[in-house]
Amino acid sequence: MTFVGESRSVSGLAAISAAGPDDYVALLKPRVMSLVVFTALTGLVLSPQHVNIVIGFASLLAIAVGAGAAGALNMWYDADIDAVMRRTSRRPIPTGKVTRQEALAFGLTLAIFAVLTLGLVANLLAAALLAFTIFFYVVIYTMWLKRLTPQNIVIGGAAGALPPVVGYVAATGQVSLAALVLFAIIFVWTPPHFWALALVRSGDYGRAGVPMMPNVKGADRTRLEILIYSLVLAALGVLPFVLGFASPVYGVVSAALGAAFVGLAWQVYRLREGDRANKCAMRLFGFSILYLFLLFAEILSERLIASAMGFLR
Amino acid sequence: MNMDSERDSKGVVLTPEQSKSRRQRNIAIGLAVGFLVLLFYAVTIVKVGPGVLNRPL
């Protein structure tokens, strides 16, 4: 028999966990999950087909749980990095509340469950895409690219860009140009978003040995690339209107937001020294979140209003 | 009775913190399973329709 209060070495068994449900919720990266739900919902409502509310809800839940599982597996693998970075040092594994093995088991269980559920409630293509998203985030990004190349978040950004495609496919069973445009917007948005933060936190990434762009290519090169990606993003942001699946209102909103994004990126490019440079980078980082939210919220609200009008008619 | 045999006779003894967190985990798992039962029931009705029970024996 074992006296639980004792350490592993005395009892011969692992101590019983004192982790609460909130620690397991933290493993799912709830803030990332909320962005995934939001973008996947936009993909879902973008589909021309009517989706039953129960099926739509269950599909979104499966996509959200799949994203959370990928987050838990990311924390399992990156526990060593998380422990030395200020931003991540309070996560459940570095603080000792959850063991790596528990996070691995939790992540794998949820990943399998989410993929099977999406296959059952929606279709096999959506389930396969969700499985690919989890695989891409955990294996391609976390295990391979993150510690290898400063292009880590450029290529790894594909995982974060896939949820609207998964949402669209869950509703229709096929991929469309509209879904791919949403994918492209998030894909091109990811580098300036993360590099703006990395400019300010480069010391943190350096200590952890993560080759982010400012550490490897220098801050100046990072500022230039942020500006280039911002220009491409501003152009891509207007595409939903140009291609006809968003209204002229969206066209005006996306053009204004794109111009503001490029303006902030230009400030980051010009101001390179001192506190003001850091403030500019953090302002761009904050605005990038607002930019993506407003763009998708505009598409989402247009679709919801259109379907409500159709319902009333 | 020495200390080791006293512990043996008590079996696994949880600290108050471990008891509290285990109870919270159990409640969370219970709620999640209950929610999933309801969700899969609703999905079944939507996908198969109310005629799911109306079949020859």
Side-chain angles (χ1 to χ4, degrees), chain A residues 278-290:
Chain A
N278 281 350
K279 275 184 187 161
C280 279
M282 286 312 287
R283 203 178 300 146
L284 177 63
F285 174 73
F287 181 77
S288 65
I289 298 168
L290 184 69

mmCIF file with all atom_site columns, all heavy atoms in Angstrom, chain A residues 278-290:
data_model
loop_
_atom_site.group_PDB
_atom_site.id
_atom_site.type_symbol
_atom_site.label_atom_id
_atom_site.label_alt_id
_atom_site.label_comp_id
_atom_site.label_asym_id
_atom_site.label_entity_id
_atom_site.label_seq_id
_atom_site.pdbx_PDB_ins_code
_atom_site.Cartn_x
_atom_site.Cartn_y
_atom_site.Cartn_z
_atom_site.occupancy
_atom_site.B_iso_or_equiv
_atom_site.pdbx_formal_charge
_atom_site.auth_seq_id
_atom_site.auth_comp_id
_atom_site.auth_asym_id
_atom_site.auth_atom_id
_atom_site.pdbx_PDB_model_num
ATOM 1   N N   . ASN A 1 278 ? 9.339   49.314 -29.594 1.00 0.00 ? 278 ASN A N   1
ATOM 2   C CA  . ASN A 1 278 ? 8.631   48.199 -28.960 1.00 0.00 ? 278 ASN A CA  1
ATOM 3   C C   . ASN A 1 278 ? 7.129   48.464 -28.893 1.00 0.00 ? 278 ASN A C   1
ATOM 4   O O   . ASN A 1 278 ? 6.315   47.563 -29.109 1.00 0.00 ? 278 ASN A O   1
ATOM 5   C CB  . ASN A 1 278 ? 9.166   47.973 -27.540 1.00 0.00 ? 278 ASN A CB  1
ATOM 6   C CG  . ASN A 1 278 ? 10.473  47.203 -27.552 1.00 0.00 ? 278 ASN A CG  1
ATOM 7   O OD1 . ASN A 1 278 ? 10.892  46.684 -28.586 1.00 0.00 ? 278 ASN A OD1 1
ATOM 8   N ND2 . ASN A 1 278 ? 11.139  47.155 -26.410 1.00 0.00 ? 278 ASN A ND2 1
ATOM 9   N N   . LYS A 1 279 ? 6.780   49.715 -28.578 1.00 0.00 ? 279 LYS A N   1
ATOM 10  C CA  . LYS A 1 279 ? 5.358   50.058 -28.504 1.00 0.00 ? 279 LYS A CA  1
ATOM 11  C C   . LYS A 1 279 ? 4.689   49.886 -29.861 1.00 0.00 ? 279 LYS A C   1
ATOM 12  O O   . LYS A 1 279 ? 3.562   49.410 -29.960 1.00 0.00 ? 279 LYS A O   1
ATOM 13  C CB  . LYS A 1 279 ? 5.195   51.502 -28.009 1.00 0.00 ? 279 LYS A CB  1
ATOM 14  C CG  . LYS A 1 279 ? 5.212   51.606 -26.505 1.00 0.00 ? 279 LYS A CG  1
ATOM 15  C CD  . LYS A 1 279 ? 4.953   53.015 -26.043 1.00 0.00 ? 279 LYS A CD  1
ATOM 16  C CE  . LYS A 1 279 ? 5.158   53.114 -24.526 1.00 0.00 ? 279 LYS A CE  1
ATOM 17  N NZ  . LYS A 1 279 ? 5.351   54.491 -24.080 1.00 0.00 ? 279 LYS A NZ  1
ATOM 18  N N   . CYS A 1 280 ? 5.388   50.311 -30.927 1.00 0.00 ? 280 CYS A N   1
ATOM 19  C CA  . CYS A 1 280 ? 4.837   50.150 -32.286 1.00 0.00 ? 280 CYS A CA  1
ATOM 20  C C   . CYS A 1 280 ? 4.602   48.674 -32.601 1.00 0.00 ? 280 CYS A C   1
ATOM 21  O O   . CYS A 1 280 ? 3.566   48.307 -33.162 1.00 0.00 ? 280 CYS A O   1
ATOM 22  C CB  . CYS A 1 280 ? 5.815   50.727 -33.316 1.00 0.00 ? 280 CYS A CB  1
ATOM 23  S SG  . CYS A 1 280 ? 5.683   52.493 -33.465 1.00 0.00 ? 280 CYS A SG  1
ATOM 24  N N   . ALA A 1 281 ? 5.587   47.841 -32.245 1.00 0.00 ? 281 ALA A N   1
ATOM 25  C CA  . ALA A 1 281 ? 5.461   46.400 -32.525 1.00 0.00 ? 281 ALA A CA  1
ATOM 26  C C   . ALA A 1 281 ? 4.282   45.817 -31.758 1.00 0.00 ? 281 ALA A C   1
ATOM 27  O O   . ALA A 1 281 ? 3.492   45.035 -32.316 1.00 0.00 ? 281 ALA A O   1
ATOM 28  C CB  . ALA A 1 281 ? 6.756   45.683 -32.166 1.00 0.00 ? 281 ALA A CB  1
ATOM 29  N N   . MET A 1 282 ? 4.138   46.199 -30.485 1.00 0.00 ? 282 MET A N   1
ATOM 30  C CA  . MET A 1 282 ? 3.028   45.667 -29.691 1.00 0.00 ? 282 MET A CA  1
ATOM 31  C C   . MET A 1 282 ? 1.681   46.201 -30.181 1.00 0.00 ? 282 MET A C   1
ATOM 32  O O   . MET A 1 282 ? 0.667   45.509 -30.095 1.00 0.00 ? 282 MET A O   1
ATOM 33  C CB  . MET A 1 282 ? 3.219   45.999 -28.202 1.00 0.00 ? 282 MET A CB  1
ATOM 34  C CG  . MET A 1 282 ? 4.294   45.171 -27.519 1.00 0.00 ? 282 MET A CG  1
ATOM 35  S SD  . MET A 1 282 ? 4.183   43.384 -27.825 1.00 0.00 ? 282 MET A SD  1
ATOM 36  C CE  . MET A 1 282 ? 2.768   42.926 -26.845 1.00 0.00 ? 282 MET A CE  1
ATOM 37  N N   . ARG A 1 283 ? 1.698   47.443 -30.696 1.00 0.00 ? 283 ARG A N   1
ATOM 38  C CA  . ARG A 1 283 ? 0.458   47.995 -31.250 1.00 0.00 ? 283 ARG A CA  1
ATOM 39  C C   . ARG A 1 283 ? 0.049   47.190 -32.490 1.00 0.00 ? 283 ARG A C   1
ATOM 40  O O   . ARG A 1 283 ? -1.124  46.877 -32.682 1.00 0.00 ? 283 ARG A O   1
ATOM 41  C CB  . ARG A 1 283 ? 0.665   49.468 -31.618 1.00 0.00 ? 283 ARG A CB  1
ATOM 42  C CG  . ARG A 1 283 ? -0.646  50.243 -31.671 1.00 0.00 ? 283 ARG A CG  1
ATOM 43  C CD  . ARG A 1 283 ? -0.410  51.711 -31.981 1.00 0.00 ? 283 ARG A CD  1
ATOM 44  N NE  . ARG A 1 283 ? 0.428   52.363 -30.993 1.00 0.00 ? 283 ARG A NE  1
ATOM 45  C CZ  . ARG A 1 283 ? 1.303   53.336 -31.267 1.00 0.00 ? 283 ARG A CZ  1
ATOM 46  N NH1 . ARG A 1 283 ? 1.456   53.773 -32.482 1.00 0.00 ? 283 ARG A NH1 1
ATOM 47  N NH2 . ARG A 1 283 ? 2.018   53.879 -30.308 1.00 0.00 ? 283 ARG A NH2 1
ATOM 48  N N   . LEU A 1 284 ? 1.022   46.855 -33.323 1.00 0.00 ? 284 LEU A N   1
ATOM 49  C CA  . LEU A 1 284 ? 0.721   46.039 -34.511 1.00 0.00 ? 284 LEU A CA  1
ATOM 50  C C   . LEU A 1 284 ? 0.218   44.657 -34.092 1.00 0.00 ? 284 LEU A C   1
ATOM 51  O O   . LEU A 1 284 ? -0.748  44.132 -34.664 1.00 0.00 ? 284 LEU A O   1
ATOM 52  C CB  . LEU A 1 284 ? 1.961   45.901 -35.403 1.00 0.00 ? 284 LEU A CB  1
ATOM 53  C CG  . LEU A 1 284 ? 1.794   45.004 -36.628 1.00 0.00 ? 284 LEU A CG  1
ATOM 54  C CD1 . LEU A 1 284 ? 0.744   45.569 -37.592 1.00 0.00 ? 284 LEU A CD1 1
ATOM 55  C CD2 . LEU A 1 284 ? 3.117   44.822 -37.368 1.00 0.00 ? 284 LEU A CD2 1
ATOM 56  N N   . PHE A 1 285 ? 0.866   44.083 -33.075 1.00 0.00 ? 285 PHE A N   1
ATOM 57  C CA  . PHE A 1 285 ? 0.444   42.764 -32.581 1.00 0.00 ? 285 PHE A CA  1
ATOM 58  C C   . PHE A 1 285 ? -1.021  42.808 -32.120 1.00 0.00 ? 285 PHE A C   1
ATOM 59  O O   . PHE A 1 285 ? -1.830  41.962 -32.503 1.00 0.00 ? 285 PHE A O   1
ATOM 60  C CB  . PHE A 1 285 ? 1.355   42.328 -31.432 1.00 0.00 ? 285 PHE A CB  1
ATOM 61  C CG  . PHE A 1 285 ? 0.924   41.053 -30.761 1.00 0.00 ? 285 PHE A CG  1
ATOM 62  C CD1 . PHE A 1 285 ? 1.087   39.830 -31.393 1.00 0.00 ? 285 PHE A CD1 1
ATOM 63  C CD2 . PHE A 1 285 ? 0.341   41.070 -29.498 1.00 0.00 ? 285 PHE A CD2 1
ATOM 64  C CE1 . PHE A 1 285 ? 0.676   38.654 -30.785 1.00 0.00 ? 285 PHE A CE1 1
ATOM 65  C CE2 . PHE A 1 285 ? -0.073  39.897 -28.879 1.00 0.00 ? 285 PHE A CE2 1
ATOM 66  C CZ  . PHE A 1 285 ? 0.105   38.697 -29.529 1.00 0.00 ? 285 PHE A CZ  1
ATOM 67  N N   . GLY A 1 286 ? -1.356  43.815 -31.315 1.00 0.00 ? 286 GLY A N   1
ATOM 68  C CA  . GLY A 1 286 ? -2.732  43.960 -30.824 1.00 0.00 ? 286 GLY A CA  1
ATOM 69  C C   . GLY A 1 286 ? -3.719  44.204 -31.958 1.00 0.00 ? 286 GLY A C   1
ATOM 70  O O   . GLY A 1 286 ? -4.788  43.595 -32.013 1.00 0.00 ? 286 GLY A O   1
ATOM 71  N N   . PHE A 1 287 ? -3.328  45.079 -32.897 1.00 0.00 ? 287 PHE A N   1
ATOM 72  C CA  . PHE A 1 287 ? -4.233  45.397 -34.001 1.00 0.00 ? 287 PHE A CA  1
ATOM 73  C C   . PHE A 1 287 ? -4.446  44.189 -34.912 1.00 0.00 ? 287 PHE A C   1
ATOM 74  O O   . PHE A 1 287 ? -5.540  44.012 -35.477 1.00 0.00 ? 287 PHE A O   1
ATOM 75  C CB  . PHE A 1 287 ? -3.690  46.573 -34.820 1.00 0.00 ? 287 PHE A CB  1
ATOM 76  C CG  . PHE A 1 287 ? -4.588  46.953 -35.960 1.00 0.00 ? 287 PHE A CG  1
ATOM 77  C CD1 . PHE A 1 287 ? -5.751  47.690 -35.742 1.00 0.00 ? 287 PHE A CD1 1
ATOM 78  C CD2 . PHE A 1 287 ? -4.303  46.553 -37.256 1.00 0.00 ? 287 PHE A CD2 1
ATOM 79  C CE1 . PHE A 1 287 ? -6.601  48.017 -36.783 1.00 0.00 ? 287 PHE A CE1 1
ATOM 80  C CE2 . PHE A 1 287 ? -5.142  46.876 -38.306 1.00 0.00 ? 287 PHE A CE2 1
ATOM 81  C CZ  . PHE A 1 287 ? -6.292  47.610 -38.067 1.00 0.00 ? 287 PHE A CZ  1
ATOM 82  N N   . SER A 1 288 ? -3.406  43.362 -35.058 1.00 0.00 ? 288 SER A N   1
ATOM 83  C CA  . SER A 1 288 ? -3.539  42.195 -35.944 1.00 0.00 ? 288 SER A CA  1
ATOM 84  C C   . SER A 1 288 ? -4.664  41.270 -35.462 1.00 0.00 ? 288 SER A C   1
ATOM 85  O O   . SER A 1 288 ? -5.391  40.697 -36.276 1.00 0.00 ? 288 SER A O   1
ATOM 86  C CB  . SER A 1 288 ? -2.217  41.427 -36.048 1.00 0.00 ? 288 SER A CB  1
ATOM 87  O OG  . SER A 1 288 ? -1.878  40.866 -34.800 1.00 0.00 ? 288 SER A OG  1
ATOM 88  N N   . ILE A 1 289 ? -4.810  41.147 -34.136 1.00 0.00 ? 289 ILE A N   1
ATOM 89  C CA  . ILE A 1 289 ? -5.890  40.313 -33.591 1.00 0.00 ? 289 ILE A CA  1
ATOM 90  C C   . ILE A 1 289 ? -7.247  40.938 -33.922 1.00 0.00 ? 289 ILE A C   1
ATOM 91  O O   . ILE A 1 289 ? -8.170  40.255 -34.388 1.00 0.00 ? 289 ILE A O   1
ATOM 92  C CB  . ILE A 1 289 ? -5.720  40.145 -32.059 1.00 0.00 ? 289 ILE A CB  1
ATOM 93  C CG1 . ILE A 1 289 ? -4.398  39.427 -31.757 1.00 0.00 ? 289 ILE A CG1 1
ATOM 94  C CG2 . ILE A 1 289 ? -6.891  39.360 -31.463 1.00 0.00 ? 289 ILE A CG2 1
ATOM 95  C CD1 . ILE A 1 289 ? -3.999  39.456 -30.300 1.00 0.00 ? 289 ILE A CD1 1
ATOM 96  N N   . LEU A 1 290 ? -7.324  42.258 -33.711 1.00 0.00 ? 290 LEU A N   1
ATOM 97  C CA  . LEU A 1 290 ? -8.568  42.978 -34.012 1.00 0.00 ? 290 LEU A CA  1
ATOM 98  C C   . LEU A 1 290 ? -8.890  42.888 -35.507 1.00 0.00 ? 290 LEU A C   1
ATOM 99  O O   . LEU A 1 290 ? -10.052 42.700 -35.900 1.00 0.00 ? 290 LEU A O   1
ATOM 100 C CB  . LEU A 1 290 ? -8.404  44.450 -33.596 1.00 0.00 ? 290 LEU A CB  1
ATOM 101 C CG  . LEU A 1 290 ? -9.636  45.327 -33.748 1.00 0.00 ? 290 LEU A CG  1
ATOM 102 C CD1 . LEU A 1 290 ? -10.707 44.932 -32.736 1.00 0.00 ? 290 LEU A CD1 1
ATOM 103 C CD2 . LEU A 1 290 ? -9.273  46.807 -33.565 1.00 0.00 ? 290 LEU A CD2 1
#
